[in-house]
Amino acid sequence: MRKSPSIASLSVSIATAGVLMVTAAGCAGGTPNSGQSSAEGTPSVAPSAPSGTPAPTTPPALATQSAVPSTPPSAAPAPPPSQPSTTEQQLAALSLEQRVGQLFMVAAKATGAEPGTMQALTKYHAGNVYLSGRSKAGTAPTASLVSSLTGTVSTATTGGVPLFVATDQEGGYVQVLSGPGFSSIPTALIQASSGAEKLRADAATWGKELSSVGVNVNLAPVLDTVTSPQFAPSNAPIGQFQREYGYDPANVSLLGNAFAEGMKDAGVEPVVKHFPGLGRVVPNTDVTSDVRDTATTRNDPALEPFHAAIKSGAQWVMVSNAYYDKIDAANIAPFSSIVMDSMLRADAGFKGIVLSDDLCSAAQLEAWSDAERALNFFGAGGTMLVCADPTSIPAMHQAVVQKATADPDFRAKVDAAALTVLRVKAGQ
């Protein structure tokens, strides 16, 4: 995996004296152009035995006695203990509160961060941020905004661990950043018409624009397969806004992953979404509750674009907020261990960041409190929670810290998730 420019410099300087004590530390989409902050800016690791002493000359009378070595054989020495990796040392250096902070990605308005965002980054140690809404200010003001956000990094906030800074630059109706220095990016459907080679080159250009302002993660591309051109207008989250790269998994995989590779070429991490797919639903989970996919199965052909992305080294997968009746009808995807652990981790072999869609403002989540949303997501195997409403961060962060303090099994999940984030940040 390519290292994002601002993350590759992740230093072991935070592994201060004592951080080797790993054991002691317990380590082991809104509507288009609405400005609604959503997760995707959606339509918003023989010694040689002693030779002993030569046998002495024995008297004849004793010649038949067995010679006994003068020194007993030595036991083989124990192998040296394995040393913790750099990221394990980094994890050991973080407090529980800072570890939990690494598991959140909080929204910052692209036109200027609000006090709630800054509080999340400082008081609640949030380790990741994304630019949301819409900004036409161009590259210079955006770079200044990003600098103000990354400037919050300190020993007290993130333990010195740099932020992931994301935005949603899909193109078309879903392009957060525009203005001088930013290209006008067409919809995915139009991007697809240029072919994979050109699309990869174009995406590298768009990615360099993001990198130039300090953005190192793009919440794109969409790898959902809309079932047909005829169904597309009824598919509110994807097809209605031409966010799809085609209508069969093979084309979506070829073209969507060309976009992803272009982003990597530019040093920007792509986030493939929305696993296991939103191409068959009708309502949009951002604005409607009880959104269900009644067709997709655990071994569905529509999963191929995601599997291809993972095989090619994608380190981020965003899960959708929908229910999947043929997979886990009782739980929305971000609360489903079947979706996140069984399908992504076990079936697909994914080892990176399992990212939620927005769990703070989406209508699909209205039945759960902020605390329940966070506990359910991390309990089911999620890695990083996206929150469009910074005012929800205190309750979520506190709930996760409290449960991790009281529940060793949950603490193990928090530590594992934080270690995954640190590994991705280190380019591992």
Side-chain angles (χ1 to χ4, degrees):
M1 161 186 154
R2 298 162 179 77
K3 300 183 180 179
S4 303
S6 62
I7 298 304
S9 60
L10 229 167
S11 169
V12 297
S13 63
I14 63 172
T16 55
V19 299
L20 295 180
M21 298 174 65
V22 177
T23 303
C27 296
T31 56
N33 303 315
S34 67
Q36 173 94 12
S37 298
S38 75
E40 36 179 315
T42 52
S44 168
V45 163
S48 56
S51 59
T53 305
T57 302
T58 53
L62 301 177
T64 59
Q65 293 181 5
S66 300
V68 179
S70 61
T71 57
S74 301
S82 60
Q83 295 299 311
S85 67
T86 298
T87 49
E88 288 170 334
Q89 292 176 40
Q90 292 168 348
L91 181 68
L94 300 180
S95 67
L96 174 57
E97 289 79 6
Q98 290 171 327
R99 297 179 192 198
V100 172
Q102 287 296 312
L103 310 187
F104 286 92
M105 177 177 279
V106 61
K109 286 188 176 180
T111 52
E114 296 180 313
T117 299
M118 304 310 290
Q119 181 187 52
L121 293 170
T122 54
K123 183 175 180 179
Y124 295 101
H125 314 284
N128 315 279
V129 64
Y130 75 101
L131 306 183
S132 64
R134 297 292 186 270
S135 169
K136 297 180 180 180
T139 54
T142 302
S144 179
L145 169 61
V146 171
S147 180
S148 72
L149 298 170
T150 58
T152 64
V153 171
S154 70
T155 302
T157 58
T158 66
V161 179
L163 304 179
F164 270 129
V165 181
T167 195
D168 197 328
Q169 208 78 332
E170 287 179 27
Y173 297 95
V174 185
Q175 180 173 344
V176 173
L177 305 175
S178 61
F182 289 114
S183 299
S184 179
I185 307 174
T187 66
L189 203 56
I190 295 174
Q191 292 173 33
S193 65
S194 66
E197 185 176 358
K198 185 176 187 303
L199 177 51
R200 179 170 179 169
D202 287 344
T205 297
W206 305 329
K208 288 173 184 175
E209 294 168 358
L210 294 177
S211 181
S212 74
V213 300
V215 173
N216 46 40
V217 178
N218 189 4
L219 302 173
V222 167
L223 294 187
D224 307 319
T225 302
V226 177
T227 55
S228 70
Q230 294 74 30
F231 177 64
S234 300
N235 177 229
I238 310 299
Q240 193 174 109
F241 302 105
Q242 299 185 0
R243 300 171 71 193
E244 72 274 24
Y245 282 96
Y247 304 103
D248 65 88
N251 275 332
V252 171
S253 185
L254 174 67
L255 296 161
N257 281 303
F259 181 102
E261 292 302 314
M263 285 290 149
K264 292 183 197 174
D265 293 341
V268 173
E269 296 294 333
V271 178
V272 298
K273 63 189 185 187
H274 311 77
F275 189 87
L278 284 174
R280 290 169 170 151
V281 303
V282 174
N284 186 339
T285 58
D286 286 340
V287 296
T288 307
S289 61
D290 199 32
V291 177
R292 291 180 175 270
D293 175 316
T294 60
T296 300
T297 64
R298 181 166 171 174
N299 298 302
D300 203 282
L303 300 177
E304 177 52 32
F306 297 99
H307 291 170
I310 292 167
K311 288 175 184 176
S312 69
Q315 291 290 299
W316 299 71
V317 176
M318 178 186 285
V319 295
S320 91
N321 278 336
Y323 285 97
Y324 292 84
D325 288 357
K326 292 189 175 181
I327 296 172
D328 184 354
N331 296 290
I332 57 174
F335 296 169
S336 173
S337 61
I338 297 175
V339 170
M340 297 191 292
D341 276 346
S342 300
M343 293 178 68
L344 272 176
R345 301 297 192 197
D347 296 354
F350 183 59
K351 299 182 185 302
I353 294 172
V354 179
L355 186 72
S356 78
D357 202 333
D358 172 36
L359 296 190
C360 291
S361 299
Q364 181 85 327
L365 278 295
E366 63 186 10
W368 296 274
S369 70
D370 288 342
E372 288 170 334
R373 298 175 194 193
L375 295 177
N376 289 347
F377 176 65
F378 295 118
T383 311
M384 188 184 293
L385 185 154
V386 172
C387 183
D389 181 1
T391 64
S392 295
I393 293 292
M396 288 182 158
H397 185 275
Q398 290 166 2
V400 175
V401 169
Q402 289 170 4
K403 184 162 185 178
T405 300
D407 183 339
D409 290 339
F410 188 77
R411 171 62 183 263
K413 291 184 178 182
V414 166
D415 285 348
L419 185 59
T420 296
V421 174
L422 293 176
R423 283 174 176 163
V424 176
K425 286 189 173 184
Q428 298 176 356

